[in-house]
């Protein structure tokens, strides 16, 4: 059965599938391969830090394709949006369990939008004395960047549209769709 037949029907909110599940799977395998090659000679485990909630599906697919020693940590971030305090402000609401000091860290994030979240996290982790830091990001919206962030592993570049699925949500909806879909602009 072709995977397009297995897709749940699009709802009235969803305009089109941008990236289907097979394409996602192939790309995640490639990214895992790059990470495996980069860290193959390291003895200490790589600490993958998933940024909740958006990264949880990408992270769980990615770690099951790693053949290097690794451990998983999570953090949760709240970014202030248009409604209220200053835009671009980022706040940590849940920190890692274990200290990252002296560790090789890979931040795993769903999407690079303004870049505020990742630039905040990279600076924070550097200030905590990590041994090295890299970032794996599933999606990139280059038109939206405000802060410059170095990304070592990138899934896909997309236009400036709101997308859902594969961990990404719209008001907590559509997060667990197995593909990336573009939403109609919100009225
Ligand atoms: P930043 O602007 O790069 O700091 O990204 C902030 C966060 O906004 C991301 O981590 C996502 O959780 C969320 N975000 C940005 N664009 C989208 C989107 O198209 N769909 C769902 N979430 C998004
Ligand atoms: Mg996020």
């Amino acid at each position: 059965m072709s995977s397009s037949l297995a897709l749940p029907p699009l709802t009235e909110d969803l305009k089109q599938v941008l990236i289907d599940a097979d394409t996602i799977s192939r790309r995640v395998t490639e990214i895992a391969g790059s990470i495996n090659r980069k860290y193959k000679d390291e003895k200490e485990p790589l600490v993958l830090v998933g940024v909740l909630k958006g990264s949880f599906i990408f992270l769980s697919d990615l770690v099951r394709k790693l053949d290097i020693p690794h451990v998983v940590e999570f953090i949760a971030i709240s970014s202030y949006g248009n409604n209220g305090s200053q835009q671009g402000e980022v706040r940590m609401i849940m920190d890692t369990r274990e200290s990252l000091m002296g560790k090789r860290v890979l931040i795993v994030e769903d999407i690079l939008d303004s870049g505020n979240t990742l630039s905040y996290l990279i600076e924070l982790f550097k200030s905590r004395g990590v041994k090295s830091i890299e970032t794996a990001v599933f999606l990139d919206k280059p038109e939206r960047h405000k802060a410059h962030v170095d990304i070592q592993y990138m899934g896909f570049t997309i236009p400036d549209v709101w997308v859902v699925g594969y961990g990404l949500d719209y008001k907590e909806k559509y997060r667990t769709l197995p593909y990336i879909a573009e939403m109609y602009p919100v009225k």
Side-chain angles (χ1 to χ4, degrees), residues 4 9 11 18 21 24 29-30 32 51 57 61 65 71 82 89 97 103-104 108 119 121-122 154 173:
S4 61
T11 74
L18 278 190
I24 291 173
T29 302
E30 288 171 2
V51 184
I57 295 182
D61 281 350
K65 292 174 173 173
V71 296
N82 304 320
E89 220 179 302
R97 284 282 180 101
K103 302 287 171 63
R104 293 198 184 279
V108 181
S119 55
L121 286 176
I122 291 168
M154 175 60 75
K173 283 172 79 182

Side-chain angles (χ1 to χ4, degrees), residues 51-52 54 109-111:
V51 184
L52 291 173
E109 173 62 314
D110 54 357
I111 188 166

Side-chain angles (χ1 to χ4, degrees), residues 51-55 77 79 108-112 117 167-169 175:
V51 184
L52 291 173
K53 298 178 186 174
S55 73
I77 293 294
S79 40
V108 181
E109 173 62 314
D110 54 357
I111 188 166
L112 181 65
T117 304
L168 293 108
D169 71 310
R175 204 186 274 288

Side-chain angles (χ1 to χ4, degrees), residues 141-160:
K141 283 184 188 171
E143 291 163 53
R144 303 257 314 162
H145 293 186
K146 290 196 192 115
H148 173 79
V149 187
D150 277 327
I151 307 295
Q152 286 71 39
Y153 313 98
M154 175 60 75
F156 301 93
T157 296
I158 59 165
D160 180 13

